[in-house]
Amino acid sequence: MSSTDSSLSAGLPAAREPTAGAKAFTDPGAVSSYVSDTPRKVPGLADLHRMTTLLLDEHAPEAAHILVVGAGGGLELKAMAEARPGWRFDGVDPSAAMLDIARRVTAPHAERIALLEGTVDQAGAGPYDGATCLLTLHFLDRDARLHTLQEIRRRLKPGGVIVVAHHAAADGNAGLWLERSAAFANRADAGRVGAAASAKAMLAHLPLLAPDEEEALLREAGFSAPALFYAAFSFRGWVAIAG
């Protein structure tokens, strides 16, 4: 997320220059409230994690090995590990501070979770049964996103599932939808003026893509049948299959 609302993402997953928002995840002070803040800022976050698990489960074996790109914070890791005790996870994130949070959040499942400080380029070779990249890709421009998705695809077994969710330029009116997301996130109700200012800052820092561009990018990276499964104000989520 942008520097004005940075707790909506788990970090930057590819070896590219981070945006101002992504840089916030290198500051231990800036990430200290991540676990408490993120569920109230992302509509239906717990349900997003449950849907992600169910979508992965459609193609994953009982003892699946899952790659989590942008794993800092650990919230999706915790949800999936609790729901699927037979799964193992490799999580990668460039932020040491966010990975420290992930280790604390997922401590009861530490024997099934390997966390690596780095980018998707340094992730394990796999092959993995499935992969997630949640609240992360909106930091990357098109070329960097394509690289990230290609690297994930290269590590997946044929038929493996990828689940992604992040901000998108929905309906050609990204500013309005970001303003609505900002208003939702601000439970103190700072009003339209405050939400509009947050949305403007996010637009300045996030290279958002339209939904059709998102799906085209997944296909270009080697995935098939991308399908929208999650829509919440400016957030969108897709599932696709490794071809």
Side-chain angles (χ1 to χ4, degrees):
M1 187 50 60
S2 74
S3 59
T4 58
D5 200 4
S6 61
S7 64
L8 290 181
S9 175
L12 183 69
R16 298 293 188 271
E17 179 65 21
T19 65
K23 289 178 181 178
F25 294 107
T26 64
D27 178 4
V31 303
S32 61
S33 61
Y34 180 88
V35 172
S36 60
D37 283 353
T38 305
R40 67 179 179 82
K41 293 186 174 183
V42 182
L45 182 65
D47 292 320
L48 172 61
H49 292 159
R50 175 163 167 73
M51 287 187 285
T52 296
T53 304
L54 293 172
L55 290 167
L56 291 170
D57 197 38
E58 289 180 354
H59 295 264
E62 185 174 346
H65 194 189
I66 305 297
L67 173 63
V68 179
V69 178
L75 295 179
E76 65 265 52
L77 278 168
K78 178 178 183 288
M80 291 188 289
E82 288 176 348
R84 296 294 183 271
W87 290 7
R88 294 180 297 119
F89 305 90
D90 285 356
V92 61
D93 196 287
S95 169
M98 290 296 288
L99 285 175
D100 284 343
I101 295 174
R103 290 187 184 94
R104 296 196 297 271
V105 167
T106 63
H109 314 285
E111 73 283 356
R112 293 189 285 126
I113 298 173
L115 295 174
L116 172 68
E117 182 181 345
T119 72
V120 68
D121 301 278
Q122 286 82 52
Y128 295 95
D129 298 293
T132 70
C133 190
L134 304 183
L135 307 180
T136 298
L137 289 177
H138 50 225
F139 283 119
L140 306 180
D141 64 24
R142 190 186 189 283
D143 290 344
R145 291 191 202 199
L146 178 59
H147 171 80
T148 299
L149 291 170
Q150 287 173 330
E151 288 300 305
I152 293 173
R153 169 62 191 91
R154 190 166 65 84
R155 291 164 168 79
L156 282 180
K157 295 177 182 177
V161 170
I162 184 173
V163 179
V164 301
H166 44 267
H167 287 295
D171 300 334
N173 199 342
L176 176 59
W177 287 109
L178 284 170
E179 184 177 330
R180 290 165 173 164
S181 288
F184 179 89
N186 192 338
R187 301 305 173 89
D189 194 12
R192 297 271 322 254
V193 174
S198 293
K200 183 178 180 179
M202 285 189 275
L203 274 176
H205 291 111
L206 301 182
L208 304 184
L209 301 180
D212 59 343
E213 294 176 302
E214 299 273 10
E215 295 183 13
L217 206 62
L218 284 164
R219 292 190 180 95
E220 188 175 348
F223 295 97
S224 63
L228 182 73
F229 76 94
Y230 169 74
F233 288 151
S234 58
F235 293 97
R236 296 291 184 273
W238 287 269
V239 59
I241 309 297

